[in-house]
Amino acid sequence: MYDNNNIFAKILRKEIPCKKVYENEHSLFFYDINPQAKIHVLGIPKVSCIDLTDFIKKSDPKIISSFFKSVNLVIDKLDLNESGFRIISNSGKDGGQEVPHFHVHILGGEKIGRLN
Ligand code: 5GP
């Protein structure tokens, strides 16, 4: 079940500040507090969803499309298209997810190492 008190829910309610990169009616993008690359941005939809599969299951296709179009827009805004980037979305225990609100990590600005 979705936990309304997770950190990203608090960020969406503006109870906790964030360093915003982009926001529209469906999503918010902000810098990760503990960056794992020169550029490390998190993107979250404004839907109470735990992970990617929960987001896809419970959201209108227009909201899903809007979120991923915003991911594209942020990649452009960060000027990562030419140099490249990595997108990660962790889910659950085995995926190493810490914050139980669906988010994508956008990593770039330098060569990102292999995961294994
Ligand atoms: P996960 O492990 O759930 O995929 O990633 C959670 C991410 O959220 C981590 O990279 C962590 O650094 C980031 N994070 C945790 N708390 C905060 C916070 O209060 N503000 C911001 N901007 N990032 C956070």
Side-chain angles (χ1 to χ4, degrees), residues 1-2 48-52 54-55 58 97 99-102:
M1 207 211 283
Y2 183 78
S48 300
C49 55
I50 297 169
D51 63 2
L52 176 75
D54 193 31
F55 175 55
K58 64 171 53 150
Q97 183 178 11
V99 181
H101 180 112
F102 167 55

Side-chain angles (χ1 to χ4, degrees), residues 7-8 11 30-34 42 90 96-99 103 105:
I7 299 231
F8 295 168
I11 286 176
F30 52 96
Y31 286 100
D32 195 293
I33 207 167
N34 182 23
L42 299 170
N90 298 320
Q97 183 178 11
E98 284 170 23
V99 181
H103 52 282
H105 297 255

